[in-house]
Amino acid sequence: MTDFSSVKGKVVIITGAADGLGEAIAQCYAENGMKVVVSDINEEKGNQVVHQIKAKGGEATFVKADVREEVDVKEMIDFVVKTYGRLDGIVNNAGIPAPNRPVHEYSVVEFDKITSVDLKGVFLGMKYGVEAILKSKVSGGFIINIASLAGILGNSSMGLYTSAKHGVVGLTKSASLDYAPYNITVNAICPGTFRTSIWGDAPEEVMQQYAKIISPNERLGDPKEIGHLALFLASDLARYISGAAIPIDAGSSAGKITPTKWEHPEILD
Ligand SMILES: NC(=O)c1ccc[n+]([C@@H]2O[C@H](COP(=O)([O-])OP(=O)(O)OC[C@H]3O[C@@H](n4cnc5c(N)ncnc54)[C@H](O)[C@@H]3O)[C@@H](O)[C@H]2O)c1
């Protein structure tokens, strides 16, 4: 049987963990015995996640930090190292969506807003996170950056988000080479479409319709599925995986769907 017990006792920070994919990763990590630092700008929801984890017998702490602010990220890392005496890994997950429009219609203010969270936030988490992992001298340190399919594919009307997420994948690949000699793995997870609050108030039926259009298996991803991949990447089972940008998207980035006679005899015969 595959054994994930190598993660037990590892200290990990997850940014943007008060909700959505970050919360799912935090819950999955805690269920598997990791010491979880739930970090977010949303103090109320972050504390709720910590409360839920503790109620199930897990170990978690909330740290308020805005990933755009260097001082916040540095203080968060310092606090964690002081509290736990080490840092094994960081999941740079906090991210925001951008409005959909062609590139020339974006403002410079919007560019700065999106990149400050989606790219600079990841850079800061890596910069101070790696420093702490190196100083902790842990065996099997890891960095996981939550990118997107927009980190590996172009997207119409999504130029800003796409460029920031491509930047995240670029940072991931380069850093994997920098830290391989120190046995720190650096990977990016590239989710397809998962039902979280990033989609705002879009009604369930609209999301289901959307899933039918964009996903080959016609369903949205379950945030728990991101948790499972993040658990594998944090474990000793994945020590030979680094510099990867891993899609988790039911195959939607694997190629385009071509209508064939097999599927559509009514129109192609
Ligand atoms: N849900 C999807 O379909 C999907 C698809 C591809 C990529 N992603 C990426 O996954 C990550 C998580 O997205 P989600 O869907 O869970 O979103 P979400 O909106 O449900 O959760 C994001 C969390 O990040 C926090 N956050 C926002 N700005 C922050 C900041 N400056 N500092 C610290 N925390 C901040 C929010 O408070 C929230 O708790 C993002 O990077 C997103 O781009 C999501």
PDB file of all heavy atoms in Angstrom, residues 209-240:
ATOM      1  N   GLN A 209     -22.796  24.259 -16.591  1.00  0.00           N
ATOM      2  CA  GLN A 209     -22.813  24.451 -18.049  1.00  0.00           C
ATOM      3  C   GLN A 209     -21.406  24.758 -18.551  1.00  0.00           C
ATOM      4  O   GLN A 209     -20.958  24.242 -19.566  1.00  0.00           O
ATOM      5  CB  GLN A 209     -23.715  25.633 -18.415  1.00  0.00           C
ATOM      6  CG  GLN A 209     -25.156  25.241 -18.645  1.00  0.00           C
ATOM      7  CD  GLN A 209     -26.011  26.495 -18.868  1.00  0.00           C
ATOM      8  OE1 GLN A 209     -25.569  27.615 -18.625  1.00  0.00           O
ATOM      9  NE2 GLN A 209     -27.232  26.284 -19.310  1.00  0.00           N
ATOM     10  N   TYR A 210     -20.722  25.616 -17.792  1.00  0.00           N
ATOM     11  CA  TYR A 210     -19.352  26.004 -18.141  1.00  0.00           C
ATOM     12  C   TYR A 210     -18.447  24.762 -18.151  1.00  0.00           C
ATOM     13  O   TYR A 210     -17.638  24.566 -19.065  1.00  0.00           O
ATOM     14  CB  TYR A 210     -18.866  27.039 -17.118  1.00  0.00           C
ATOM     15  CG  TYR A 210     -17.503  27.621 -17.408  1.00  0.00           C
ATOM     16  CD1 TYR A 210     -17.244  28.285 -18.599  1.00  0.00           C
ATOM     17  CD2 TYR A 210     -16.466  27.513 -16.485  1.00  0.00           C
ATOM     18  CE1 TYR A 210     -15.991  28.825 -18.863  1.00  0.00           C
ATOM     19  CE2 TYR A 210     -15.212  28.050 -16.735  1.00  0.00           C
ATOM     20  CZ  TYR A 210     -14.985  28.705 -17.931  1.00  0.00           C
ATOM     21  OH  TYR A 210     -13.752  29.223 -18.181  1.00  0.00           O
ATOM     22  N   ALA A 211     -18.639  23.912 -17.131  1.00  0.00           N
ATOM     23  CA  ALA A 211     -17.831  22.691 -17.026  1.00  0.00           C
ATOM     24  C   ALA A 211     -18.018  21.821 -18.268  1.00  0.00           C
ATOM     25  O   ALA A 211     -17.065  21.231 -18.782  1.00  0.00           O
ATOM     26  CB  ALA A 211     -18.219  21.911 -15.784  1.00  0.00           C
ATOM     27  N   LYS A 212     -19.240  21.759 -18.778  1.00  0.00           N
ATOM     28  CA  LYS A 212     -19.520  20.928 -19.954  1.00  0.00           C
ATOM     29  C   LYS A 212     -18.770  21.451 -21.174  1.00  0.00           C
ATOM     30  O   LYS A 212     -18.349  20.689 -22.037  1.00  0.00           O
ATOM     31  CB  LYS A 212     -21.022  20.905 -20.239  1.00  0.00           C
ATOM     32  CG  LYS A 212     -21.759  20.011 -19.252  1.00  0.00           C
ATOM     33  CD  LYS A 212     -23.140  19.654 -19.693  1.00  0.00           C
ATOM     34  CE  LYS A 212     -23.658  18.607 -18.728  1.00  0.00           C
ATOM     35  NZ  LYS A 212     -25.046  18.579 -18.518  1.00  0.00           N
ATOM     36  N   ILE A 213     -18.584  22.764 -21.217  1.00  0.00           N
ATOM     37  CA  ILE A 213     -17.891  23.353 -22.370  1.00  0.00           C
ATOM     38  C   ILE A 213     -16.373  23.160 -22.244  1.00  0.00           C
ATOM     39  O   ILE A 213     -15.703  22.798 -23.192  1.00  0.00           O
ATOM     40  CB  ILE A 213     -18.199  24.869 -22.484  1.00  0.00           C
ATOM     41  CG1 ILE A 213     -19.693  25.082 -22.694  1.00  0.00           C
ATOM     42  CG2 ILE A 213     -17.401  25.517 -23.613  1.00  0.00           C
ATOM     43  CD1 ILE A 213     -20.153  26.519 -22.466  1.00  0.00           C
ATOM     44  N   ILE A 214     -15.843  23.382 -21.042  1.00  0.00           N
ATOM     45  CA  ILE A 214     -14.380  23.434 -20.952  1.00  0.00           C
ATOM     46  C   ILE A 214     -13.706  22.140 -20.472  1.00  0.00           C
ATOM     47  O   ILE A 214     -12.509  21.981 -20.630  1.00  0.00           O
ATOM     48  CB  ILE A 214     -13.888  24.623 -20.071  1.00  0.00           C
ATOM     49  CG1 ILE A 214     -14.575  24.598 -18.721  1.00  0.00           C
ATOM     50  CG2 ILE A 214     -14.112  25.957 -20.725  1.00  0.00           C
ATOM     51  CD1 ILE A 214     -13.739  24.092 -17.643  1.00  0.00           C
ATOM     52  N   SER A 215     -14.483  21.239 -19.896  1.00  0.00           N
ATOM     53  CA  SER A 215     -13.815  20.069 -19.327  1.00  0.00           C
ATOM     54  C   SER A 215     -14.176  18.797 -20.087  1.00  0.00           C
ATOM     55  O   SER A 215     -15.357  18.493 -20.259  1.00  0.00           O
ATOM     56  CB  SER A 215     -14.235  19.934 -17.851  1.00  0.00           C
ATOM     57  OG  SER A 215     -13.600  18.811 -17.298  1.00  0.00           O
ATOM     58  N   PRO A 216     -13.163  18.032 -20.528  1.00  0.00           N
ATOM     59  CA  PRO A 216     -13.452  16.819 -21.305  1.00  0.00           C
ATOM     60  C   PRO A 216     -14.338  15.828 -20.552  1.00  0.00           C
ATOM     61  O   PRO A 216     -15.066  15.074 -21.181  1.00  0.00           O
ATOM     62  CB  PRO A 216     -12.071  16.221 -21.565  1.00  0.00           C
ATOM     63  CG  PRO A 216     -11.133  17.358 -21.435  1.00  0.00           C
ATOM     64  CD  PRO A 216     -11.722  18.293 -20.428  1.00  0.00           C
ATOM     65  N   ASN A 217     -14.267  15.811 -19.224  1.00  0.00           N
ATOM     66  CA  ASN A 217     -15.159  14.883 -18.522  1.00  0.00           C
ATOM     67  C   ASN A 217     -16.400  15.597 -17.969  1.00  0.00           C
ATOM     68  O   ASN A 217     -17.141  15.042 -17.155  1.00  0.00           O
ATOM     69  CB  ASN A 217     -14.424  14.114 -17.412  1.00  0.00           C
ATOM     70  CG  ASN A 217     -14.061  15.006 -16.242  1.00  0.00           C
ATOM     71  OD1 ASN A 217     -14.259  16.218 -16.297  1.00  0.00           O
ATOM     72  ND2 ASN A 217     -13.541  14.419 -15.183  1.00  0.00           N
ATOM     73  N   GLU A 218     -16.578  16.821 -18.424  1.00  0.00           N
ATOM     74  CA  GLU A 218     -17.805  17.590 -18.188  1.00  0.00           C
ATOM     75  C   GLU A 218     -18.119  17.849 -16.720  1.00  0.00           C
ATOM     76  O   GLU A 218     -19.268  17.996 -16.342  1.00  0.00           O
ATOM     77  CB  GLU A 218     -19.006  16.923 -18.882  1.00  0.00           C
ATOM     78  CG  GLU A 218     -18.809  16.777 -20.364  1.00  0.00           C
ATOM     79  CD  GLU A 218     -20.047  16.309 -21.092  1.00  0.00           C
ATOM     80  OE1 GLU A 218     -21.060  16.026 -20.429  1.00  0.00           O
ATOM     81  OE2 GLU A 218     -19.999  16.237 -22.330  1.00  0.00           O
ATOM     82  N   ARG A 219     -17.088  17.854 -15.881  1.00  0.00           N
ATOM     83  CA  ARG A 219     -17.348  18.238 -14.491  1.00  0.00           C
ATOM     84  C   ARG A 219     -16.257  19.181 -13.993  1.00  0.00           C
ATOM     85  O   ARG A 219     -15.157  19.223 -14.553  1.00  0.00           O
ATOM     86  CB  ARG A 219     -17.465  17.009 -13.591  1.00  0.00           C
ATOM     87  CG  ARG A 219     -16.159  16.330 -13.228  1.00  0.00           C
ATOM     88  CD  ARG A 219     -16.345  15.423 -12.010  1.00  0.00           C
ATOM     89  NE  ARG A 219     -15.168  14.604 -11.750  1.00  0.00           N
ATOM     90  CZ  ARG A 219     -14.134  14.981 -10.990  1.00  0.00           C
ATOM     91  NH1 ARG A 219     -14.072  16.179 -10.454  1.00  0.00           N
ATOM     92  NH2 ARG A 219     -13.124  14.145 -10.781  1.00  0.00           N
ATOM     93  N   LEU A 220     -16.608  19.913 -12.958  1.00  0.00           N
ATOM     94  CA  LEU A 220     -15.625  20.794 -12.331  1.00  0.00           C
ATOM     95  C   LEU A 220     -14.754  19.968 -11.401  1.00  0.00           C
ATOM     96  O   LEU A 220     -15.180  18.918 -10.909  1.00  0.00           O
ATOM     97  CB  LEU A 220     -16.334  21.868 -11.500  1.00  0.00           C
ATOM     98  CG  LEU A 220     -17.260  22.797 -12.265  1.00  0.00           C
ATOM     99  CD1 LEU A 220     -18.035  23.681 -11.293  1.00  0.00           C
ATOM    100  CD2 LEU A 220     -16.457  23.665 -13.216  1.00  0.00           C
ATOM    101  N   GLY A 221     -13.540  20.460 -11.167  1.00  0.00           N
ATOM    102  CA  GLY A 221     -12.671  19.770 -10.220  1.00  0.00           C
ATOM    103  C   GLY A 221     -13.155  19.972  -8.797  1.00  0.00           C
ATOM    104  O   GLY A 221     -13.782  20.986  -8.463  1.00  0.00           O
ATOM    105  N   ASP A 222     -12.855  19.008  -7.957  1.00  0.00           N
ATOM    106  CA  ASP A 222     -13.155  19.099  -6.532  1.00  0.00           C
ATOM    107  C   ASP A 222     -11.868  19.570  -5.839  1.00  0.00           C
ATOM    108  O   ASP A 222     -10.811  18.945  -6.019  1.00  0.00           O
ATOM    109  CB  ASP A 222     -13.564  17.690  -6.038  1.00  0.00           C
ATOM    110  CG  ASP A 222     -13.886  17.663  -4.553  1.00  0.00           C
ATOM    111  OD1 ASP A 222     -13.445  18.569  -3.823  1.00  0.00           O
ATOM    112  OD2 ASP A 222     -14.561  16.709  -4.134  1.00  0.00           O
ATOM    113  N   PRO A 223     -11.918  20.664  -5.054  1.00  0.00           N
ATOM    114  CA  PRO A 223     -10.705  21.153  -4.384  1.00  0.00           C
ATOM    115  C   PRO A 223      -9.924  20.053  -3.659  1.00  0.00           C
ATOM    116  O   PRO A 223      -8.695  20.114  -3.571  1.00  0.00           O
ATOM    117  CB  PRO A 223     -11.248  22.203  -3.414  1.00  0.00           C
ATOM    118  CG  PRO A 223     -12.473  22.726  -4.096  1.00  0.00           C
ATOM    119  CD  PRO A 223     -13.076  21.548  -4.813  1.00  0.00           C
ATOM    120  N   LYS A 224     -10.632  19.008  -3.182  1.00  0.00           N
ATOM    121  CA  LYS A 224      -9.930  17.908  -2.493  1.00  0.00           C
ATOM    122  C   LYS A 224      -8.916  17.241  -3.428  1.00  0.00           C
ATOM    123  O   LYS A 224      -7.908  16.697  -2.980  1.00  0.00           O
ATOM    124  CB  LYS A 224     -10.941  16.847  -2.046  1.00  0.00           C
ATOM    125  CG  LYS A 224     -11.727  17.244  -0.834  1.00  0.00           C
ATOM    126  CD  LYS A 224     -12.530  16.059  -0.311  1.00  0.00           C
ATOM    127  CE  LYS A 224     -13.283  16.462   0.933  1.00  0.00           C
ATOM    128  NZ  LYS A 224     -14.661  16.073   0.950  1.00  0.00           N
ATOM    129  N   GLU A 225      -9.207  17.264  -4.743  1.00  0.00           N
ATOM    130  CA  GLU A 225      -8.292  16.625  -5.706  1.00  0.00           C
ATOM    131  C   GLU A 225      -6.966  17.391  -5.795  1.00  0.00           C
ATOM    132  O   GLU A 225      -5.918  16.802  -6.051  1.00  0.00           O
ATOM    133  CB  GLU A 225      -8.982  16.515  -7.073  1.00  0.00           C
ATOM    134  CG  GLU A 225     -10.173  15.560  -7.008  1.00  0.00           C
ATOM    135  CD  GLU A 225     -11.018  15.540  -8.272  1.00  0.00           C
ATOM    136  OE1 GLU A 225     -11.492  16.606  -8.698  1.00  0.00           O
ATOM    137  OE2 GLU A 225     -11.228  14.455  -8.834  1.00  0.00           O
ATOM    138  N   ILE A 226      -7.020  18.701  -5.563  1.00  0.00           N
ATOM    139  CA  ILE A 226      -5.780  19.497  -5.502  1.00  0.00           C
ATOM    140  C   ILE A 226      -5.020  19.124  -4.224  1.00  0.00           C
ATOM    141  O   ILE A 226      -3.798  18.983  -4.218  1.00  0.00           O
ATOM    142  CB  ILE A 226      -6.101  21.015  -5.510  1.00  0.00           C
ATOM    143  CG1 ILE A 226      -6.800  21.423  -6.817  1.00  0.00           C
ATOM    144  CG2 ILE A 226      -4.827  21.835  -5.285  1.00  0.00           C
ATOM    145  CD1 ILE A 226      -5.945  21.458  -8.050  1.00  0.00           C
ATOM    146  N   GLY A 227      -5.785  18.936  -3.136  1.00  0.00           N
ATOM    147  CA  GLY A 227      -5.167  18.528  -1.868  1.00  0.00           C
ATOM    148  C   GLY A 227      -4.387  17.230  -2.031  1.00  0.00           C
ATOM    149  O   GLY A 227      -3.262  17.104  -1.528  1.00  0.00           O
ATOM    150  N   HIS A 228      -4.960  16.275  -2.752  1.00  0.00           N
ATOM    151  CA  HIS A 228      -4.296  14.969  -2.915  1.00  0.00           C
ATOM    152  C   HIS A 228      -2.977  15.113  -3.692  1.00  0.00           C
ATOM    153  O   HIS A 228      -1.970  14.504  -3.339  1.00  0.00           O
ATOM    154  CB  HIS A 228      -5.227  13.981  -3.639  1.00  0.00           C
ATOM    155  CG  HIS A 228      -6.477  13.698  -2.866  1.00  0.00           C
ATOM    156  ND1 HIS A 228      -7.654  13.308  -3.442  1.00  0.00           N
ATOM    157  CD2 HIS A 228      -6.734  13.786  -1.532  1.00  0.00           C
ATOM    158  CE1 HIS A 228      -8.586  13.154  -2.508  1.00  0.00           C
ATOM    159  NE2 HIS A 228      -8.040  13.432  -1.346  1.00  0.00           N
ATOM    160  N   LEU A 229      -3.000  15.929  -4.745  1.00  0.00           N
ATOM    161  CA  LEU A 229      -1.764  16.122  -5.521  1.00  0.00           C
ATOM    162  C   LEU A 229      -0.715  16.852  -4.670  1.00  0.00           C
ATOM    163  O   LEU A 229       0.467  16.493  -4.670  1.00  0.00           O
ATOM    164  CB  LEU A 229      -2.057  16.901  -6.808  1.00  0.00           C
ATOM    165  CG  LEU A 229      -0.845  17.244  -7.684  1.00  0.00           C
ATOM    166  CD1 LEU A 229      -0.040  15.995  -8.072  1.00  0.00           C
ATOM    167  CD2 LEU A 229      -1.282  17.995  -8.945  1.00  0.00           C
ATOM    168  N   ALA A 230      -1.178  17.857  -3.927  1.00  0.00           N
ATOM    169  CA  ALA A 230      -0.239  18.610  -3.076  1.00  0.00           C
ATOM    170  C   ALA A 230       0.354  17.712  -1.984  1.00  0.00           C
ATOM    171  O   ALA A 230       1.519  17.865  -1.603  1.00  0.00           O
ATOM    172  CB  ALA A 230      -0.955  19.810  -2.453  1.00  0.00           C
ATOM    173  N   LEU A 231      -0.443  16.759  -1.511  1.00  0.00           N
ATOM    174  CA  LEU A 231       0.059  15.821  -0.491  1.00  0.00           C
ATOM    175  C   LEU A 231       1.155  14.943  -1.084  1.00  0.00           C
ATOM    176  O   LEU A 231       2.221  14.762  -0.488  1.00  0.00           O
ATOM    177  CB  LEU A 231      -1.097  14.951   0.021  1.00  0.00           C
ATOM    178  CG  LEU A 231      -0.714  13.848   1.010  1.00  0.00           C
ATOM    179  CD1 LEU A 231      -0.209  14.449   2.324  1.00  0.00           C
ATOM    180  CD2 LEU A 231      -1.898  12.906   1.283  1.00  0.00           C
ATOM    181  N   PHE A 232       0.891  14.420  -2.273  1.00  0.00           N
ATOM    182  CA  PHE A 232       1.895  13.584  -2.947  1.00  0.00           C
ATOM    183  C   PHE A 232       3.200  14.375  -3.146  1.00  0.00           C
ATOM    184  O   PHE A 232       4.290  13.879  -2.842  1.00  0.00           O
ATOM    185  CB  PHE A 232       1.327  13.109  -4.295  1.00  0.00           C
ATOM    186  CG  PHE A 232       2.322  12.383  -5.156  1.00  0.00           C
ATOM    187  CD1 PHE A 232       2.915  11.207  -4.730  1.00  0.00           C
ATOM    188  CD2 PHE A 232       2.671  12.889  -6.404  1.00  0.00           C
ATOM    189  CE1 PHE A 232       3.838  10.538  -5.527  1.00  0.00           C
ATOM    190  CE2 PHE A 232       3.597  12.225  -7.207  1.00  0.00           C
ATOM    191  CZ  PHE A 232       4.175  11.053  -6.762  1.00  0.00           C
ATOM    192  N   LEU A 233       3.077  15.629  -3.617  1.00  0.00           N
ATOM    193  CA  LEU A 233       4.284  16.427  -3.895  1.00  0.00           C
ATOM    194  C   LEU A 233       5.059  16.779  -2.619  1.00  0.00           C
ATOM    195  O   LEU A 233       6.261  17.019  -2.668  1.00  0.00           O
ATOM    196  CB  LEU A 233       3.916  17.704  -4.657  1.00  0.00           C
ATOM    197  CG  LEU A 233       3.435  17.498  -6.093  1.00  0.00           C
ATOM    198  CD1 LEU A 233       2.973  18.834  -6.700  1.00  0.00           C
ATOM    199  CD2 LEU A 233       4.532  16.877  -6.976  1.00  0.00           C
ATOM    200  N   ALA A 234       4.355  16.816  -1.488  1.00  0.00           N
ATOM    201  CA  ALA A 234       5.025  17.114  -0.209  1.00  0.00           C
ATOM    202  C   ALA A 234       5.677  15.877   0.386  1.00  0.00           C
ATOM    203  O   ALA A 234       6.484  15.971   1.316  1.00  0.00           O
ATOM    204  CB  ALA A 234       4.007  17.678   0.784  1.00  0.00           C
ATOM    205  N   SER A 235       5.335  14.709  -0.136  1.00  0.00           N
ATOM    206  CA  SER A 235       5.786  13.456   0.484  1.00  0.00           C
ATOM    207  C   SER A 235       7.118  12.972  -0.101  1.00  0.00           C
ATOM    208  O   SER A 235       7.547  13.419  -1.165  1.00  0.00           O
ATOM    209  CB  SER A 235       4.727  12.368   0.271  1.00  0.00           C
ATOM    210  OG  SER A 235       4.813  11.862  -1.045  1.00  0.00           O
ATOM    211  N   ASP A 236       7.703  12.016   0.574  1.00  0.00           N
ATOM    212  CA  ASP A 236       8.961  11.442   0.094  1.00  0.00           C
ATOM    213  C   ASP A 236       8.755  10.606  -1.174  1.00  0.00           C
ATOM    214  O   ASP A 236       9.721  10.205  -1.814  1.00  0.00           O
ATOM    215  CB  ASP A 236       9.608  10.579   1.187  1.00  0.00           C
ATOM    216  CG  ASP A 236      10.242  11.457   2.262  1.00  0.00           C
ATOM    217  OD1 ASP A 236      10.219  12.703   2.094  1.00  0.00           O
ATOM    218  OD2 ASP A 236      10.741  10.914   3.263  1.00  0.00           O
ATOM    219  N   LEU A 237       7.502  10.324  -1.511  1.00  0.00           N
ATOM    220  CA  LEU A 237       7.225   9.563  -2.735  1.00  0.00           C
ATOM    221  C   LEU A 237       7.525  10.384  -3.986  1.00  0.00           C
ATOM    222  O   LEU A 237       7.625   9.850  -5.081  1.00  0.00           O
ATOM    223  CB  LEU A 237       5.752   9.131  -2.767  1.00  0.00           C
ATOM    224  CG  LEU A 237       5.292   8.239  -1.615  1.00  0.00           C
ATOM    225  CD1 LEU A 237       3.782   8.101  -1.614  1.00  0.00           C
ATOM    226  CD2 LEU A 237       5.952   6.875  -1.708  1.00  0.00           C
ATOM    227  N   ALA A 238       7.651  11.710  -3.808  1.00  0.00           N
ATOM    228  CA  ALA A 238       7.796  12.592  -4.974  1.00  0.00           C
ATOM    229  C   ALA A 238       9.151  13.293  -5.023  1.00  0.00           C
ATOM    230  O   ALA A 238       9.271  14.350  -5.637  1.00  0.00           O
ATOM    231  CB  ALA A 238       6.665  13.619  -4.954  1.00  0.00           C
ATOM    232  N   ARG A 239      10.152  12.711  -4.389  1.00  0.00           N
ATOM    233  CA  ARG A 239      11.437  13.416  -4.297  1.00  0.00           C
ATOM    234  C   ARG A 239      12.156  13.566  -5.641  1.00  0.00           C
ATOM    235  O   ARG A 239      13.069  14.379  -5.766  1.00  0.00           O
ATOM    236  CB  ARG A 239      12.384  12.708  -3.303  1.00  0.00           C
ATOM    237  CG  ARG A 239      11.912  12.673  -1.874  1.00  0.00           C
ATOM    238  CD  ARG A 239      11.432  14.015  -1.347  1.00  0.00           C
ATOM    239  NE  ARG A 239      12.433  15.060  -1.453  1.00  0.00           N
ATOM    240  CZ  ARG A 239      12.178  16.352  -1.338  1.00  0.00           C
ATOM    241  NH1 ARG A 239      10.958  16.774  -1.118  1.00  0.00           N
ATOM    242  NH2 ARG A 239      13.139  17.233  -1.438  1.00  0.00           N
ATOM    243  N   TYR A 240      11.757  12.767  -6.641  1.00  0.00           N
ATOM    244  CA  TYR A 240      12.422  12.873  -7.954  1.00  0.00           C
ATOM    245  C   TYR A 240      11.624  13.756  -8.918  1.00  0.00           C
ATOM    246  O   TYR A 240      11.935  13.856 -10.095  1.00  0.00           O
ATOM    247  CB  TYR A 240      12.626  11.464  -8.542  1.00  0.00           C
ATOM    248  CG  TYR A 240      13.830  11.350  -9.450  1.00  0.00           C
ATOM    249  CD1 TYR A 240      15.113  11.627  -8.988  1.00  0.00           C
ATOM    250  CD2 TYR A 240      13.688  10.970 -10.787  1.00  0.00           C
ATOM    251  CE1 TYR A 240      16.214  11.537  -9.815  1.00  0.00           C
ATOM    252  CE2 TYR A 240      14.792  10.872 -11.632  1.00  0.00           C
ATOM    253  CZ  TYR A 240      16.053  11.153 -11.139  1.00  0.00           C
ATOM    254  OH  TYR A 240      17.147  11.061 -11.969  1.00  0.00           O
TER     255      TYR A 240
END
